Amino acid sequence: MTKVNVYVTLRESVVDPQGIAAKDALHKLGFDEVGNVRIGRLIELELSGTQAEIEERVKKMCEVLLVNKVIEDYSFEIGEVAGK
Amino acid sequence: MTKVNVYVTLRESVVDPQGIAAKDALHKLGFDEVGNVRIGRLIELELSGTQAEIEERVKKMCEVLLVNKVIEDYSFEIGEVAGK
């Protein structure tokens, strides 16, 4: 099984209310050095296959299920092979 | 402003219903090679300060607001300096 990390972020042009709330809360707590905050998703997948297969399949998974391409962007990193 | 990516994941011992739902959906769509799926958060921060200050401050932000340490783990990566 290979581990893949998929990073899903809101597109730059999309307002991120959750990020704005986090930023406001950080400011209230005294973290005034914080500028922009954006909150996205980290999807950790374990899957089998060769490097090339995995790359192609993960792209497809993102397109059909994991990512809302209208408002989100994604990238992924194929990591180390986990045990078994 | 320096960019920092904070990766927040559920602890191994905590059940992840969202991940299970995603895995089931992927299987139904024919992605049978997928094993475990876990869904976490990716928090993108922009903040000012030296490398050492940033490291200390981001840790504090995670402890007091961004991460629920009872059920979540986190790590972060200090990235490139963005414009201005």
Side-chain angles (χ1 to χ4, degrees):
Chain A
M1 286 290 193
T2 303
K3 285 194 173 190
V4 178
N5 281 349
V6 182
Y7 308 103
V8 184
T9 52
L10 278 175
R11 284 174 186 267
E12 282 298 328
S13 56
V14 177
V15 176
D16 177 8
Q18 213 189 341
I20 294 169
K23 178 179 150 181
D24 290 348
L26 286 169
H27 284 179
K28 272 184 200 132
L29 290 167
F31 298 104
D32 299 312
E33 72 268 49
V34 176
N36 215 11
V37 179
R38 312 266 303 168
I39 298 188
R41 271 171 296 134
L42 162 63
I43 305 173
E44 299 173 302
L45 301 168
E46 277 176 28
L47 69 173
S48 51
T50 65
Q51 185 91 357
E53 281 168 1
I54 286 173
E55 204 171 315
E56 193 218 314
R57 295 289 278 174
V58 170
K59 254 184 217 166
K60 214 164 264 175
M61 287 177 214
C62 288
E63 306 281 336
V64 301
L65 182 77
L66 300 176
V67 178
N68 179 353
K69 293 269 293 180
V70 178
I71 56 167
E72 294 172 332
D73 283 323
Y74 72 94
S75 63
F76 59 88
E77 241 172 31
I78 300 176
E80 85 278 26
V81 177
K84 211 199 119 200
Chain B
M1 286 289 193
T2 304
K3 285 194 174 192
V4 178
N5 281 349
V6 182
Y7 308 104
V8 184
T9 52
L10 278 174
R11 284 174 184 267
E12 282 297 328
S13 56
V14 177
V15 175
D16 176 8
Q18 213 189 342
I20 293 169
K23 178 179 152 183
D24 289 349
L26 287 169
H27 284 179
K28 273 187 199 129
L29 291 166
F31 298 104
D32 299 312
E33 71 269 48
V34 176
N36 215 11
V37 179
R38 312 265 303 167
I39 298 187
R41 270 173 297 136
L42 161 63
I43 305 172
E44 298 172 302
L45 302 168
E46 276 176 29
L47 69 172
S48 52
T50 65
Q51 186 91 358
E53 281 168 2
I54 287 174
E55 203 172 314
E56 193 217 314
R57 296 287 280 174
V58 171
K59 255 184 216 165
K60 215 164 262 174
M61 289 177 212
C62 289
E63 306 281 336
V64 301
L65 182 77
L66 300 175
V67 178
N68 178 351
K69 294 269 295 180
V70 178
I71 56 166
E72 293 173 331
D73 283 323
Y74 72 94
S75 62
F76 59 89
E77 241 173 30
I78 300 176
E80 85 278 28
V81 177
K84 211 200 123 201

